[in-house]
Amino acid sequence: MVIVQTETEEVTDQVGRQSSVRREQEVGPSQEYGNTTEDDNNDEELLTMNIKKLRNAANWETSIAMGEYSSESYLEIDKVPSPRGNKARKVSVLPLVFLIFYEVSGGPFGAEDTVRAAGPLLALIGFLVFLFVWSVPEALITAELGTMFPEDGGYVVWVSSALGEYWGFQEGWMKWLSGVIDNALYPVMFLEYLKSAIPALSGGLPRVGATLGLTALLTYMNYRGLNIVGSAAVVLGVLSLLPFGLMGVIAIPKVRPSRWLVLDLHNVDWNLYLNTLFWNLNYWDSVSTLAGEVDNPEKTLPKALFYAFILVVCGYFFPLLIGTGAVPLNLDLWTDGYFSDIAMTVGGVWLRFWIQGAAAMSNMGMFVAEMSSDSFQLLGMAERGMLPEFFSKRSRYGTPLVGILFSASGVILLSWLSFREIVAAENFLYCFGMVLELVSFVRLRMKYPAASRPYKIPVGTVGSILLCVPPTMMICVVLALSSLKVAVICIVAMLIGLVLQPCLKHVEKTKWLNFSESSDLRDLHGVAQEDTESLIK
């Protein structure tokens, strides 16, 4: 350990006087800062060097005061402190819970199509079963691997560690593209809920202008900082769920349990049904790309995932119970925006307007949460050297400026797609990304069983394989039900990723663009060493 004590105020005086350099230091065997004496006062070159050392030492002390370096660390000559020291304060449990809630759900808005596709009984059963078949395994795997690699790259780092950088890049490409396609849906849903109150938003230039304006406003919110996004998610979450609690109380006398049991297997649209369920209950792993921004992620991340799971269950199941039980069933009416009509029937105009406002706020929350995840993923990939260095540049608010601009551009380009096309396309790409994650989870368990895992699912190797079986079966079903048009578009997008990674490597080799890997990230190859040391102990 090297201990350095300096009086940083003297640096300016030394430059003005070009006099002797005074400092006190205790140096270990490495002699990190060299030897200087007062006899070197006339040596301008040595004086400059000493001033530079003092400045480095001052920077190092500041970093220690901020908690960035441990007491066993030291700063080498000319080594620049990590830009992570300039980031905004970390995200705590409560904002993280609502960020996960919005990345996964955002409330019952968008769940209406399950009733239209399969009826009340299958809709209710589907949300309960799918939560345990898909959401629980995905959330548990996210908790384990997210705490094992608590950095902004998230699932990209998991796959890179297990399968190599090439497949890590493919994971990042498919998941980012899936996220951007998903985010293009929220302005569409926002306007669907408002068009009944503002008919001009149904189409034409007013709708285009509203889409662009909303995208710009929410993009700016992401630019201003993740803590602002997290605080906004808490407020929006409370306001968007509150009217459903009130609607439930008002609707109790009108609920007819027999309406929940309606079932017609001969007229089930399985494609729409499963795609809607899948879209409403996935993306638990998206929070992993924010792990580098979380306060004490080893404890905060699993806790936030648990609370968010409870919030998601309540946010879907109880509004569906109210909606299907309190009004006569008409499957054709169960489409985007129908909860506002149910509110009108149950409570009147005032409750309808409240539900419409809640839907608008929910879509805003889902947009900002998804964009945060997508943009920080690009930043994390750049910090790992997978993308050009400019993707790792942060704004003065600590946000990934280039990643936000890229994600916003993708949303605008894809906002013309229909709801059904958007859901099917993002599900298709997401499925392939999840296959890589499941394989990586099992492979890391088999290759490095004793590596450090702050949170570990209490199952062995066989148990980890069995945990991945239900999600894998669900992935196969969703892919099999995809339309030919969606499959072709998504496969072309995947082929672009297969070619893009070697192209970026060529660009890096020819130095057309700068690529660099952050020095304060965990060495992926070090997992093997940690595992070996743990086994020896």
Side-chain angles (χ1 to χ4, degrees):
M1 178 176 68
V2 178
I3 303 174
V4 180
Q5 297 175 334
T6 64
E7 297 179 4
T8 58
E9 298 88 344
E10 294 180 2
V11 174
T12 304
D13 294 336
Q14 290 168 339
V15 174
R17 298 193 310 267
Q18 292 197 359
S19 61
S20 62
V21 177
R22 298 177 58 200
R23 64 178 181 164
E24 297 175 71
Q25 66 176 8
E26 297 174 20
V27 183
S30 63
Q31 294 294 322
E32 177 189 357
Y33 291 103
N35 297 317
T36 60
T37 67
E38 296 184 0
D39 295 333
D40 295 323
N41 293 341
N42 296 327
D43 192 331
E44 183 176 353
E45 181 180 356
L46 186 55
L47 177 60
T48 303
M49 183 184 298
N50 288 332
I51 292 173
K52 187 175 183 180
K53 294 169 187 174
L54 281 169
R55 286 174 175 163
N56 282 338
N59 289 339
W60 180 69
E61 289 182 325
T62 303
S63 298
I64 291 176
M66 295 174 68
E68 187 66 28
Y69 294 91
S70 68
S71 60
E72 298 181 353
S73 301
Y74 65 90
L75 186 68
E76 297 175 356
I77 298 175
D78 299 335
K79 183 175 180 179
V80 180
S82 168
R84 292 172 174 263
N86 298 325
K87 290 193 298 186
R89 62 188 179 88
K90 301 283 189 174
V91 179
S92 58
V93 174
L94 183 61
L96 192 62
V97 168
F98 279 90
L99 283 172
I100 297 171
F101 170 71
Y102 274 123
E103 285 170 347
V104 175
S105 166
F109 312 106
E112 299 95 333
D113 278 326
T114 57
V115 179
R116 179 161 66 95
L121 182 60
L122 281 183
L124 293 169
I125 292 175
F127 272 98
L128 285 180
V129 172
F130 205 93
L131 276 166
F132 291 95
V133 171
W134 179 268
S135 295
V136 169
E138 186 182 12
L140 288 173
I141 290 171
T142 299
E144 177 169 316
L145 297 183
T147 56
M148 189 176 179
F149 300 98
E151 58 182 270
D152 293 333
Y155 37 69
V156 177
V157 182
W158 311 345
V159 177
S160 297
S161 179
L163 306 176
E165 184 178 322
Y166 180 81
W167 290 109
F169 181 90
Q170 304 311 316
E171 169 77 1
W173 166 251
M174 286 185 285
K175 281 303 190 73
W176 178 80
L177 196 56
S178 171
V180 170
I181 294 172
D182 179 59
N183 226 11
L185 182 64
Y186 302 131
V188 175
M189 292 178 63
F190 179 88
L191 297 177
E192 285 295 317
Y193 268 90
L194 290 187
K195 72 179 183 182
S196 59
I198 310 175
L201 297 178
S202 298
L205 288 177
R207 187 179 181 90
V208 173
T211 301
L212 294 176
L214 179 65
T215 301
L217 175 64
L218 299 179
T219 299
Y220 178 72
M221 186 183 294
N222 275 273
Y223 165 73
R224 285 300 304 270
L226 188 58
N227 278 288
I228 290 179
V229 172
S231 300
V234 174
V235 175
L236 293 172
V238 172
L239 293 178
S240 60
L241 290 176
L242 189 60
F244 285 99
L246 184 59
M247 187 171 73
V249 174
I250 297 174
I252 289 176
K254 302 180 180 180
V255 170
R256 302 291 181 268
S258 60
R259 293 170 178 163
W260 297 335
L261 305 178
V262 176
L263 176 64
D264 184 3
L265 292 176
H266 298 292
N267 294 310
V268 175
D269 185 344
W270 292 105
N271 188 5
L272 178 62
Y273 173 69
L274 290 175
N275 267 307
T276 305
L277 281 174
F278 191 77
W279 174 72
N280 277 283
L281 292 171
N282 61 13
Y283 280 90
W284 292 92
D285 59 343
S286 293
V287 70
S288 68
T289 64
L290 305 176
E293 315 301 311
V294 174
D295 181 29
N296 191 13
E298 290 81 3
K299 293 183 178 179
T300 302
L301 189 59
K303 188 183 299 184
L305 283 164
F306 174 74
Y307 292 139
F309 180 83
I310 296 174
L311 199 59
V312 168
V313 172
C314 297
Y316 278 129
F317 197 71
F318 291 111
L320 282 173
L321 280 175
I322 297 165
T324 55
V327 297
L329 180 64
N330 187 338
L331 295 181
D332 294 333
L333 297 178
W334 278 88
T335 185
D336 300 329
Y338 186 55
F339 274 115
S340 63
D341 295 333
I342 296 173
M344 176 73 178
T345 303
V346 171
V349 176
W350 66 273
L351 187 56
R352 178 184 185 180
F353 283 132
W354 195 356
I355 292 290
Q356 287 176 335
M361 288 183 285
S362 176
N363 282 284
M364 291 171 62
M366 288 187 285
F367 186 100
V368 294
E370 183 63 53
M371 180 168 282
S372 294
S373 176
D374 296 341
S375 55
F376 273 103
Q377 177 201 317
L378 295 180
L379 181 144
M381 292 177 69
E383 289 183 336
R384 281 289 178 183
M386 297 182 186
L387 291 176
E389 191 177 43
F390 61 79
F391 277 97
S392 66
K393 301 299 182 184
R394 294 176 182 259
S395 70
R396 58 176 175 166
Y397 303 106
T399 50
L401 179 59
V402 178
I404 289 173
L405 292 176
F406 263 71
S407 298
S409 300
V411 168
I412 293 172
L413 290 173
L414 295 168
S415 59
W416 56 271
L417 294 172
S418 69
F419 176 89
R420 188 163 183 165
E421 288 174 326
I422 289 175
V423 170
E426 67 97 353
N427 282 350
F428 195 96
L429 291 169
Y430 190 86
C431 282
F432 277 99
M434 278 306 303
V435 169
L436 291 177
E437 287 182 32
L438 296 174
V439 171
S440 298
F441 168 66
V442 174
R443 183 170 174 81
L444 287 171
R445 275 295 191 96
M446 296 177 69
K447 285 184 65 178
Y448 313 121
S452 175
R453 290 174 172 83
Y455 174 85
K456 185 175 181 179
I457 306 171
V459 295
T461 302
V462 175
S464 65
I465 295 173
L466 294 176
L467 184 68
C468 296
V469 171
T472 304
M473 294 174 62
M474 184 59 64
I475 287 172
C476 294
V477 172
V478 171
L479 291 177
L481 292 175
S482 298
S483 67
L484 180 61
K485 177 184 175 182
V486 169
V488 170
I489 293 174
C490 293
I491 290 173
V492 170
M494 292 166 58
L495 291 175
I496 292 173
L498 296 175
V499 176
L500 185 58
Q501 199 270 351
C503 290
L504 287 175
K505 283 298 178 184
H506 178 71
V507 170
E508 179 182 7
K509 185 177 180 180
T510 55
K511 298 184 179 180
W512 293 348
L513 292 172
N514 291 328
F515 289 73
S516 64
E517 186 169 350
S518 180
S519 59
D520 61 342
L521 296 178
R522 182 184 186 186
D523 180 13
L524 296 183
H525 301 292
V527 175
Q529 183 179 354
E530 291 178 9
D531 189 73
T532 303
E533 291 174 353
S534 299
L535 288 173
I536 292 174
K537 290 179 182 180

